[in-house]
Amino acid sequence: MIELLASHYIYGLVFVVLGIGLYMTIASQNLVKKLIGVNLFQSAIFLFFVATAYVEGGRAPILHTGTDAPLASPLPQVIVLTAIVVGVALTAVGLALIVRIHGEYGTLREDTLREVRTDE
Amino acid sequence: MSSLETLVVLLIVAPILLSLAPIALGLRYDRVGWPVATITTAGLFAAALALASDVFVAEGTNREVARIHVLGNFDVPMGIELVADPLSTLIALLITGTAFAVLLHTRTNGPRGNTFYTAYLLLVGGLLGITLTGDVFNLFVFLEITSLATYALVASGDGPESAVAALKYLILGTVAASLYLMGVGLLFMGTGTLNMADLAATIPALEGQNVTLARAGLAFIVVGFAIKVAQWPLHSWQPDAYQHAPDGVTAVIASLVSTASAYALGRVLFGVYGPEFIASTPNASAVVVTIGCLSVVAGSTLAVIQRDVTRMLAYSSVSQFGLIVAAYGVLTEQALSGALIHLVGHGLTKAGLFVAVGWIAIAHGARTVDEYAGLAGRQPFVAGAIAILLLSLVGIPPSIGFVGKWYIALGAVEAQAWPVAAVILFSTMLTLAYVARLLETMYVTPPLDSAVEPAHDTPAATDGGRPGSGASTSTDTGSDPSEPGLERTGITTQKSVPLGTLAVLVLAAVLAVALGFAGELFVDVLEPFLESVLEVSS
């Protein structure tokens, strides 16, 4: 069990980052921080994908002659590239919405926002 | 054959590419968005029809009936494939048809900017991608394309509230999609493939640790979709998003976005994992059934206490999708075909209802149940369509809503899943409760400032018995002339319904009834496919 944990510590790291991201998303009152939390959450999953691609003694999955060393799996890396692009688009939309909310209500804090909205 | 394969690709590529046209052409011409969007969706609908006529007419097993296109000539385990089988074709028909019909309505009532139509076409492209993809990772990408377009559409509402609703939706939706991606990652670790057909072949043969990985993946995927489909208690984004989106947008979001997610959940549960694996996973089926049943009860209860019609219908969606998810959990063929019929029926019904509700909000400013008073007398066609669609929502035969519920109930009884059968009965009563309240207001209650018309003012029809309306305030404001045409007056003016809106409403109402009669046909069409799905995986 200890051995498994020692050799798979990267997954532990992934879940710590995942937890921090989720906590920030839920508990943070600042909208920008919430969005950062979402980003952390996503990044943890990207890390997880990259970790799954690891091959013992493997090298970057680029084909060229001369070495016989095993290749790391290319598929998860391609997937992470795509997912990062999706994540960037999401962050952009989220920030645009936050700018609009700030323009309308003059606040970035969720609790203040709730008060302002119930007053109306 | 090959031209039909190309159609599968075009269904996804055409809307995404053409979504740039409204912006690009908009630099030179005004008002170019609507024609581009309408022509595109009409073409997509025609393409989906052509595909359907081929897929449904062809005979054979699952893989042979399906029209499969392998993208870029990379073979399947590495490459990506698109699959049009009877199920995905059916949903593609629903998506393209509804997208086209709703555009007829937004012609006069919707937001008119060119950017709106860009987001709209992007949404349609993403939805069709979800429907037709045969790869679990691509499903994630299309899920996000759809979500991005939806956030933009929700945020295009007038008030600042819409931005708040969209941000709430964005945060929850992103977490949901990320959870799904995590599930896909675990599944990939266990099996080493992302292709749905490949996964379906690999998963039953898994052993040892890999089974655990696949099960963990299943858990993440189910929770991710539970948020996307708006299952209780993760539904809270949905009513806000529906209420604050522009009225024309709500119709298409409400009828298609959650439907596509629910379809994708079914696809992953049955097309990837297979009933055998789910049944062998401890408590998996019970958990799915529980999520569904709780959503049914919570959704209908919350719908009953709403005064805003849009919110009421949004909570009703929570409950109807709960029914579909619960039916997935039952794991029988009857329940599954019931779930799929209900999926299509619900999409159709909600599209019609939200178009009607949106038009009434624009034309009459009526948004709460009380303000619908007198609708039937002033707008007989709209009221009639609403009534038929609402009755279909309850599940009154011979509507499509009845057929779906009937098969789900049959499947539940067959599998002895008594909680599901009980919940169907219970939710039908609750649905009837809020539907009857709206119908009663529309047809029986006269508009409050029509107290001058004594002919209508029969004692039984006054507002005394209406729940949710303060009886004292409503009697007072009836004679208050300082607020003409404002709140609590009901619908007193007669405005002509735009042709497009009327066409959509009549079509939706007729289809809701006609498809109810064609329920047997539905089952016949889906049966060989479902049998093969349930066989392949077992």
Side-chain angles (χ1 to χ4, degrees):
Chain A
M1 189 64 201
I2 304 276
E3 256 174 49
L4 188 76
L5 284 180
S7 60
H8 290 71
Y9 65 91
I10 183 74
Y11 296 115
L13 180 72
V14 164
F15 277 96
V16 168
V17 178
L18 201 73
I20 294 173
L22 196 58
Y23 178 77
M24 273 183 79
T25 310
I26 296 167
S28 185
Q29 291 291 338
N30 188 306
L31 292 178
V32 177
K33 284 186 184 165
K34 255 188 200 302
L35 206 61
I36 294 173
V38 172
N39 270 321
L40 266 182
F41 188 76
Q42 282 192 316
S43 309
I45 289 163
F46 302 161
L47 268 182
F48 170 76
F49 262 90
V50 174
T52 63
Y54 178 72
V55 176
E56 189 97 44
R59 60 188 173 86
I62 301 166
L63 284 178
H64 70 99
T65 50
T67 59
D68 287 339
L71 298 172
S73 172
L75 198 54
Q77 309 197 349
V78 175
I79 284 175
V80 168
L81 269 183
T82 316
I84 287 174
V85 173
V86 172
V88 168
L90 274 166
T91 313
V93 174
L95 287 174
L97 289 174
I98 289 175
V99 167
R100 183 153 163 228
I101 291 172
H102 186 259
E104 298 279 359
Y105 293 107
T107 177
L108 282 176
R109 286 187 63 82
E110 204 183 26
D111 42 4
T112 327
L113 196 63
R114 202 172 293 131
E115 278 168 28
V116 175
R117 285 170 66 202
T118 44
D119 285 350
E120 278 172 6
Chain B
M1 169 85 189
S2 69
S3 67
L4 280 161
E5 270 185 23
T6 319
L7 271 189
V8 182
V9 186
L10 275 180
L11 272 174
I12 300 173
V13 174
I16 292 182
L17 281 184
L18 282 169
S19 71
L20 296 173
I23 286 189
L25 294 174
L27 294 175
R28 183 170 280 267
Y29 310 100
D30 282 346
R31 297 279 192 107
V32 78
W34 189 81
V36 170
T38 311
I39 292 167
T40 311
T41 45
L44 291 176
F45 186 50
L49 275 178
L51 200 62
S53 69
D54 182 60
V55 169
F56 286 127
V57 169
E59 303 264 327
T61 62
N62 173 22
R63 299 290 289 177
E64 284 166 48
V65 172
R67 291 282 162 265
I68 295 163
H69 185 94
V70 178
L71 292 169
N73 285 332
F74 286 102
D75 280 336
V76 149
M78 285 297 150
I80 294 162
E81 64 174 6
L82 301 175
V83 180
D85 54 27
L87 177 54
S88 56
T89 313
L90 186 68
I91 304 291
L93 266 180
L94 174 75
I95 289 171
T96 49
T98 313
F100 175 65
V102 170
L103 275 178
L104 294 181
H105 165 67
T106 60
R107 170 94 180 88
T108 42
N109 295 299
R112 294 199 186 81
N114 287 330
T115 45
F116 166 77
Y117 292 104
T118 294
Y120 192 93
L121 283 177
L122 208 55
L123 175 70
V124 175
L127 289 169
L128 286 170
I130 292 179
T131 315
L132 295 171
T133 184
D135 181 291
V136 282
F137 177 69
N138 263 40
L139 183 58
F140 164 77
V141 175
F142 283 121
L143 215 53
E144 288 296 59
I145 291 178
T146 309
S147 303
L148 276 171
T150 315
Y151 308 145
L153 286 176
V154 170
S156 67
D158 304 326
E161 288 284 331
S162 60
V164 180
L167 189 69
K168 192 172 174 182
Y169 187 8
L170 182 137
I171 288 172
L172 264 169
T174 310
V175 169
S178 304
L179 285 173
Y180 170 76
L181 189 61
M182 190 81 193
V184 169
L186 289 164
L187 196 55
F188 177 69
M189 272 177 90
T191 61
T193 177
L194 290 169
N195 181 277
M196 284 183 184
D198 243 23
L199 282 169
T202 318
I203 285 177
L206 289 180
E207 282 172 0
Q209 263 194 333
N210 290 342
V211 177
T212 317
L213 282 172
R215 284 179 178 162
L218 178 66
F220 275 99
I221 289 173
V222 167
V223 173
F225 275 125
I227 304 178
K228 283 274 175 198
V229 182
Q231 294 295 282
W232 188 86
L234 304 166
H235 66 276
S236 60
W237 58 267
Q238 197 190 38
D240 283 353
Y242 285 9
Q243 191 184 11
H244 299 302
D247 292 310
V249 174
T250 312
V252 69
I253 293 178
S255 67
L256 297 182
V257 175
S258 289
T259 303
S261 298
Y263 157 82
L265 175 62
R267 191 101 201 148
V268 173
L269 284 183
F270 293 96
V272 173
Y273 280 98
E276 198 87 334
F277 184 85
I278 299 169
S280 76
T281 305
N283 295 329
S285 144
V287 166
V288 174
V289 167
T290 310
I291 294 176
C293 288
L294 283 175
S295 303
V296 172
V297 175
S300 346
T301 314
L302 287 166
V304 170
I305 59 175
Q306 297 303 317
R307 294 185 66 223
D308 188 289
V309 179
T310 316
R311 277 187 97 78
M312 188 181 93
L313 291 176
Y315 281 112
S316 142
S317 285
V318 173
S319 106
Q320 303 288 332
F321 279 115
L323 204 57
I324 290 165
V325 171
Y328 284 157
V330 172
L331 298 177
T332 65
E333 197 196 315
Q334 293 271 23
L336 185 55
S337 51
L340 299 173
I341 295 170
H342 204 59
L343 202 60
V344 174
H346 176 263
L348 202 72
T349 315
K350 277 285 151 70
L353 279 173
F354 275 109
V355 163
V357 168
W359 180 73
I360 292 167
I362 290 171
H364 295 281
R367 286 183 185 273
T368 65
V369 173
D370 296 339
E371 288 166 11
Y372 274 55
L375 180 73
R378 310 292 168 174
Q379 304 290 353
F381 289 111
V382 178
I386 292 180
I388 291 173
L389 292 170
L390 281 176
L391 290 176
S392 167
L393 204 61
V394 181
I396 308 282
S399 62
I400 177 94
F402 168 74
V403 182
K405 275 190 181 178
W406 173 249
Y407 277 101
I408 296 175
L410 271 187
V413 170
E414 189 188 18
Q416 308 212 319
W418 301 115
V420 179
V423 152
I424 291 177
L425 259 177
F426 180 65
S427 85
T428 304
M429 288 194 291
L430 280 178
T431 312
L432 192 61
Y434 61 75
V435 162
R437 186 158 58 109
L438 189 58
L439 286 180
E440 190 251 345
T441 316
M442 274 180 355
Y443 276 94
V444 182
T445 313
L448 291 181
D449 64 357
S450 72
V452 283
E453 300 170 28
H456 288 281
D457 209 0
T458 47
T462 45
D463 50 347
R466 242 179 311 131
S469 78
S472 57
T473 51
S474 49
T475 40
D476 291 343
T477 47
S479 55
D480 183 5
S482 65
E483 291 185 333
L486 279 182
E487 288 178 352
R488 295 199 206 86
T489 50
I491 288 160
T492 49
T493 49
Q494 193 152 18
K495 293 188 182 169
S496 64
V497 193
L499 201 63
T501 309
L502 191 65
V504 176
L505 287 178
V506 170
L507 203 67
V510 167
L511 272 178
V513 177
L515 289 180
F517 280 113
E520 289 288 317
L521 184 78
F522 251 114
V523 176
D524 287 348
V525 162
L526 286 174
E527 197 171 20
F529 170 71
L530 291 179
E531 263 171 15
S532 70
V533 165
L534 298 176
E535 242 169 56
V536 161
S537 47
S538 60

